[in-house]
């Protein structure tokens, strides 16, 4: 018989607050067209993107995260000292160690929480949210700060016609804490590593160190392959998340998919047969693809504009490089 004392966590977990930060510089498609042979009409028709935000030198991964986190903490009505863990999802923090989460935790005045980074591409926020839920229910942290942050402008090849217009910068954050009833559903997540070459960094840091590449590494992707995978396979994952939560599309109020491409969003809405009353996040139009930051940024904007409201039931799904994915149903804070 085990002598280990059982964990004393909360019965359930919930998102308590959300915050976002977008860099001050707004970059229209016309700027992108200075380095690629395309048109504003082509970019909009292929992606829905009209503008994106690019960070300045001062708007670092840490700085953007701190701004977004401060808003999330205030929105949740807690103090930084109450945070027991900080999880940062990013692929654009260029120091292998230490984790940027430790710097963010310190500058927020959180005391001595668990702090670590995860790398799960555009599904990173979903991965972090799932880990945070487990911590709260297990009892290792009462409140967890989950951050999705990217400076993808640092990893964009402005001469690559397939990707130059896609990426933006920003940070989104949420506070996950205890709940008396289910507010974060079961997560449907996974990976398909046999498709890892469809979205990847052009060169390894090792190769760059050794002087082989003639330019800084960037993110590249096979657009059509990614599009087909996202449209056909991720709609199935989204449906599985609805089933796992015990609801149907008719029960949804809001749909917040990863903001990769508006054509993908439209196709998923059609495949899932979402009713007209469901509000669909389309933050991609003015924010671009911000990878791990895209879902919390879209969530924050919907709540700020009143397009979504506290207590709404939302389906969130992230998918991208790996290829990895994560979907769950949540109650909005």
């Amino acid at each position: 018989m085990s002598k280990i004392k059982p964990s004393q966590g909360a019965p359930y977990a919930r998102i308590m607050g959300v915050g976002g930060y977008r860099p001050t510089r707004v970059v229209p498609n016309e700027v992108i067209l200075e380095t690629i042979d395309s048109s504003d009409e082509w970019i909009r028709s292929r992606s829905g993107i009209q503008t994106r935000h690019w960070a300045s030198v001062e708007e670092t991964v840490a700085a953007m995260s701190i701004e977004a986190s401060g808003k999330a903490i205030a929105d949740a009505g807690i103090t930084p000292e109450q945070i027991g863990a900080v999880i940062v999802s990013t692929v654009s923090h260029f120091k292998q160690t230490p984790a940027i989460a430790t710097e963010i935790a310190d500058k927020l005045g959180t005391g001595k929480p668990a702090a670590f980074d995860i790398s799960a591409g555009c599904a990173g926020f979903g991965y972090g949210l799932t880990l945070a839920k487990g911590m709260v229910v297990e009892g290792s942290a009462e409140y967890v700060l989950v951050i999705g942050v990217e400076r993808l402008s640092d990893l964009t090849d402005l001469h690559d016609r397939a990707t130059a217009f896609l990426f933006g910068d920003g940070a989104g954050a949420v506070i996950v804490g205890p709940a008396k009833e289910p507010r974060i559903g079961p997560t449907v997540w996974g990976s398909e590593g046999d498709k890892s070459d469809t979205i990847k960094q052009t060169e390894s840091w090792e190769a760059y160190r050794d002087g082989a590449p003639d330019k800084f590494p960037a993110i590249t992707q096979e657009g059509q392959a990614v599009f087909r995978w996202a449209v056909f396979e991720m709609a199935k994952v989204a449906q599985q998340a609805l089933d796992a939560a015990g609801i149907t599309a008719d029960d949804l109020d809001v749909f917040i998919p990863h903001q990769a491409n508006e054509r993908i969003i439209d196709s998923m809405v059609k495949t899932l047969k979402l009713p007209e009353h469901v509000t669909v996040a389309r933050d991609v139009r003015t924010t671009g693809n911000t990878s791990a930051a895209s879902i919390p940024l879209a969530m924050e904007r919907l709540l700020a504009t009143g397009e979504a409201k506290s207590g709404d039931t939302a389906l969130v799904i992230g998918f991208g490089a790996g290829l990895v994915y994560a979907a769950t149903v949540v109650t909005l804070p």
Side-chain angles (χ1 to χ4, degrees):
M1 183 176 181
S2 176
K3 297 180 181 179
I4 299 173
K5 181 180 178 180
S7 300
Q8 300 295 317
Y12 304 103
R14 62 184 173 126
I15 299 175
M16 299 177 59
V18 60
Y21 179 81
R22 293 171 174 82
T24 55
R25 183 187 177 191
V26 177
V27 180
N29 288 338
E30 285 73 19
V31 172
I32 307 299
L33 296 175
E34 294 174 4
T35 52
I36 61 171
D37 180 16
S38 188
S39 68
D40 177 63
E41 181 182 2
W42 187 88
I43 293 174
R44 292 186 188 221
S45 66
R46 300 287 291 183
S47 68
I49 299 172
Q50 303 167 22
T51 61
R52 73 285 291 144
H53 295 256
W54 283 355
S56 66
V57 173
E58 293 78 18
E59 291 168 318
T60 63
V61 166
M64 292 190 293
S65 297
I66 290 166
E67 290 290 335
S69 298
K71 296 175 183 178
I73 292 168
D75 192 40
I78 65 170
T79 64
E81 294 82 2
Q82 291 176 277
I83 295 172
V86 177
I87 303 171
V88 177
S89 179
T90 185
V91 299
S92 46
H93 169 55
F94 294 153
K95 286 185 179 180
Q96 196 71 33
T97 192
I100 194 63
T102 57
E103 177 184 339
I104 294 167
D106 177 63
K107 290 184 176 178
L108 284 170
T110 58
K112 299 180 179 180
F116 58 94
D117 300 348
I118 58 175
S119 177
C122 305
F125 175 75
Y127 276 48
L129 184 65
T130 302
L131 293 174
K133 172 188 172 183
M135 291 178 182
V136 171
V137 173
E138 186 268 342
S140 59
E142 185 176 11
Y143 301 103
V144 181
L145 170 61
V146 180
I147 302 166
V149 57
E150 302 291 2
R151 273 182 55 119
L152 293 181
S153 58
D154 292 335
L155 286 167
T156 299
D157 180 353
L158 294 179
H159 297 277
D160 180 0
R161 190 172 184 271
T163 62
F165 59 91
L166 288 175
F167 302 121
D169 303 335
V174 300
I175 296 292
V176 177
K180 295 181 180 179
E181 59 183 10
R183 296 294 182 91
I184 301 175
T187 299
V188 177
W189 57 354
S191 64
E192 297 184 28
D194 60 314
K195 300 178 181 66
S196 61
D197 282 347
T198 56
I199 306 175
K200 63 182 181 180
Q201 186 170 304
T202 52
E203 299 287 348
S204 69
W205 298 122
E206 183 179 41
Y208 186 72
R209 179 200 64 191
D210 295 340
D214 59 359
K215 56 185 176 181
F216 195 73
I219 296 174
T220 185
Q221 70 174 30
E222 296 177 14
Q224 287 302 316
V226 173
F227 183 87
R228 288 192 297 270
W229 176 76
V231 168
F232 295 109
E233 298 303 321
M234 290 306 97
K236 297 176 186 176
V237 171
Q239 183 60 56
Q240 290 169 16
L242 290 175
D243 295 342
I247 67 172
T248 68
D250 290 335
D251 299 313
L252 279 180
D253 300 303
V254 185
F255 179 44
I256 311 177
H258 165 48
Q259 301 294 291
N261 180 308
E262 193 166 31
R263 290 172 62 210
I264 292 175
I265 295 171
D266 289 340
S267 294
M268 292 182 72
V269 167
K270 183 177 180 180
T271 302
L272 289 167
K273 298 179 181 179
L274 296 185
E276 290 187 5
H277 73 262
V278 175
T279 297
V280 179
R282 300 183 184 278
D283 196 43
V284 66
R285 294 173 177 172
T286 55
T287 306
N289 179 345
T290 55
S291 189
S294 78
I295 289 175
L297 277 174
M299 183 184 296
E300 185 265 349
R301 173 162 281 174
L302 289 175
L303 289 167
T305 59
E307 295 173 81
K309 62 183 184 300
S310 174
D312 279 353
T313 299
L315 169 63
V316 300
I317 178 170
F319 46 86
L323 293 169
V324 294
Y325 54 88
T328 189
V329 175
V330 304
T331 301
L332 296 182

